[in-house]
Amino acid sequence: MPNKIPQPDRDSTQRTRDRIASLPLLAPPECDARLVELGYRGQESARRAASVLAYRHLRRIKRLFVDRIASHELGPRDNYLFLGPTGSGKTYLVELLFRDVLQVPTITVDVTQYSETGYIGEDVNAILAHLFEAADQDLMWAASGVVCLDEFDKLASSRSNARFAGEGTTKDVSGYGVQRGLLTLLSGNEASFPADFGFAHMGPKVSMPLWGVTFIACGAFSGLKTTADLLGSNERIGFGREGVPLRPEAIAVELDERILEQTAAFTNYGFLPELIGRFSRLVTFAPLGRDVLRDILVTSTIEPYRREFAEEGVTLEVDDDVLGHVVDGALRRELGARGLRAALVAHLEEAAFRCFGRPHPCTARLTLGRDGPRPRIVVTVDD
C-alpha cells in the first residue's frame, strides 16, 4: 500500500480553523466593488455572478470547518464554467477575486498538460497536489481553496459523433479520459493525490476532502456557436441537398443563453454531457468594447510605466491617437486585453533605452506618425 502522509495534529487544525474564521465575509456587492477597485474593468454580469459564488464559497467553508456542519446538510457544492473570447478577463477575474480579495488558496492550471492515468503527462488528481502546495501543505486550508481549470475547451476530443464501440471502457489520450477523471473532482466527496506529484510510483498519498473546494473552468469555446447553429439546420445528404456554406467563426463572439441550454451542442463539440452537467452555472463573457479596452490600457499598462519612468526622472507622455491606434489593433486582431500590452512594450522599451540613466530629467513622448502607408508609433525624447 502507498505511504500516507501524517494527518495534521489538533493544534495545526485549530490554527487553520481560526484562520478561516478570521476571513471577512464580504457581501457580493462588496466583492464587486473590490474587483473594480483593484482594476478589473467590464463584464458587469459576469462580475456579479462571480461575486455571488465568492460569497457562497466563503460562507460554505466557514460552516464546514468553523461551525463544523456536516457536508450533507449543506447540499452539493457549486462549480462554474466561464465561457468567452480570449482576452475577455475570465482567468483574471478568478485570480483577482479569490486569491486577492478572498485570500483563499487559489491555483490556475492548464488542463491540456494532464492525461489519463497510464499515459505521459500529469494525472488529473495531481491538480490537488498543486492546491496542496499553494496552501503550504496545510490540508484543511487546501480543502478551502479554489481551482481554475484554464483552457478547459481544449479538452474537447472531437467535434464528431462518430466514436468507436467500447470507447467508454478503454483508455484514451484524446480528451475523454481526462474528462472522465475530472468527474470525480467536480462532484466527489474525497480524492487522493500524490504528494510528490507522482515522481515516485509508491510515493506518499494524501486524501483531501472536496466538500469545500470550488472548481471554475475557463475556456474560449471557439466554434461552439457554429456547432449549435448546425444542430438547428436542415442539412441533409443525397439528391436535393442544399449545402450550408461554412463560414469561419469570429474569435470575439458572444455566446447567448440559447446555446448554453443545448447540451447536444457541447456533446458535438467534444464534451461528455455528464461533465458539462457538473457545472451548476455557465457564465458568458462578452468581447471587450473600445472604451473598456482603452481604460484597461491606461490603468494596467500606461500608468505603471509612467510611475517607473518618473522614478528615473523621465516624464512619459502618450498621445490619445496612440491609445486609439493600439485599441483598434486589439479589436482588429480579436485579442481583447491580451493584445494591448504587447503593442506598446517595444516602443516603451525604446523610450527607456534612450532615457534611463540620464543625469538630467527629460520627456519621452509616444506619438502616431502618419507619413507612411500605415500609421506607426513614433518615440521622441525632449531634454
Side-chain angles (χ1 to χ4, degrees):
M1 294 293 291
N3 299 323
K4 294 284 186 179
I5 284 187
Q7 294 300 306
D9 56 32
R10 182 177 301 178
D11 291 340
S12 63
T13 298
Q14 187 58 49
R15 284 195 299 270
T16 306
R17 284 200 175 100
D18 294 340
R19 185 178 190 177
I20 296 174
S22 66
L23 294 174
L25 187 61
L26 300 177
E30 293 177 295
C31 292
D32 184 56
R34 286 286 293 136
L35 285 172
V36 176
E37 181 183 333
L38 291 173
Y40 194 91
R41 298 292 185 267
Q43 308 298 357
E44 181 179 354
S45 177
R47 285 201 328 256
R48 293 166 71 95
S51 296
V52 172
L53 176 63
Y55 176 85
R56 297 186 66 196
H57 173 81
L58 203 53
R59 186 78 175 113
R60 183 181 181 88
I61 63 175
K62 284 177 177 289
R63 298 183 72 188
L64 277 171
F65 300 114
V66 179
D67 301 336
R68 306 188 190 186
I69 296 176
S71 59
H72 67 270
E73 296 182 20
L74 299 180
R77 53 197 166 96
D78 286 318
N79 302 303
Y80 276 31
L81 175 57
F82 289 173
L83 308 91
T86 182
S88 58
K90 303 180 295 296
T91 307
Y92 184 47
L93 176 58
V94 176
E95 294 176 342
L96 200 61
L97 180 57
F98 290 94
R99 182 192 61 198
D100 299 339
V101 177
L102 263 61
Q103 299 183 354
V104 296
T106 304
I107 62 167
T108 299
V109 296
D110 184 347
V111 294
T112 60
Q113 66 182 326
Y114 296 94
S115 66
E116 188 173 3
T117 303
Y119 288 93
I120 298 298
E122 288 193 84
D123 181 80
V124 172
N125 280 18
I127 291 173
L128 300 180
H130 291 278
L131 184 60
F132 186 58
E133 289 298 318
D136 297 326
Q137 297 190 352
D138 185 329
L139 190 60
M140 183 185 295
W141 185 228
S144 307
V146 175
V147 176
C148 177
L149 304 172
D150 201 15
E151 305 294 347
F152 183 76
D153 55 318
K154 305 306 186 294
L155 288 181
S157 61
S158 172
R159 297 185 187 180
S160 170
N161 283 326
R163 303 173 187 168
F164 59 86
E167 184 188 57
T169 60
T170 59
K171 291 183 179 180
D172 75 279
V173 290
S174 61
Y176 283 112
V178 178
Q179 292 185 38
R180 286 193 294 267
L182 286 173
L183 290 175
T184 300
L185 295 184
L186 292 174
S187 62
N189 293 326
E190 192 175 22
S192 297
F193 63 91
D196 61 352
F197 296 93
F199 290 115
H201 178 64
M202 297 299 290
K205 298 284 185 179
V206 178
S207 183
M208 180 185 295
L210 300 176
W211 314 309
V213 180
T214 294
F215 287 85
I216 303 174
C218 300
F221 284 85
S222 301
L224 180 61
K225 186 176 185 299
T226 300
T227 303
D229 290 342
L230 289 175
L231 287 173
S233 66
N234 294 321
E235 180 73 356
R236 60 182 185 273
I237 62 174
F239 294 104
R241 174 182 181 269
E242 297 180 0
V244 178
L246 292 178
R247 299 181 178 87
E249 182 176 307
I251 297 174
V253 63
E254 184 175 5
L255 302 174
D256 54 40
E257 295 298 326
R258 174 187 61 86
I259 296 174
L260 301 186
E261 293 173 355
Q262 296 186 36
T263 304
F266 287 96
T267 302
N268 284 10
Y269 193 81
F271 277 95
L272 297 170
E274 53 267 38
L275 178 61
I276 299 300
R278 294 296 196 275
F279 295 98
S280 55
R281 179 83 158 86
L282 277 61
V283 181
T284 59
F285 284 64
L288 297 178
R290 183 181 304 276
D291 292 340
V292 175
L293 287 174
R294 185 187 179 93
D295 193 7
I296 293 173
L297 176 61
V298 172
T299 304
S300 302
T301 301
I302 301 298
E303 291 303 330
Y305 270 101
R306 275 183 178 149
R307 291 192 293 269
E308 182 180 352
F309 273 61
E311 291 175 357
E312 297 289 333
V314 181
T315 301
L316 176 64
E317 297 180 357
V318 182
D319 285 1
D320 286 343
D321 288 348
V322 173
L323 300 180
H325 176 71
V326 172
V327 170
D328 289 342
L331 290 171
R332 185 171 58 253
R333 294 189 297 272
E334 299 182 279
L335 295 177
R338 294 183 187 275
L340 298 175
R341 184 181 177 87
L344 273 183
V345 166
H347 306 288
L348 293 169
E349 286 178 352
E350 172 66 18
F353 179 82
R354 295 166 61 178
C355 296
F356 283 12
R358 284 193 174 195
H360 305 292
C362 63
T363 298
R365 182 177 292 107
L366 271 60
T367 59
L368 195 63
R370 302 180 184 275
D371 53 346
R374 60 179 61 183
R376 61 187 181 87
I377 299 176
V378 179
V379 179
T380 57
V381 178
D382 300 328
D383 292 324

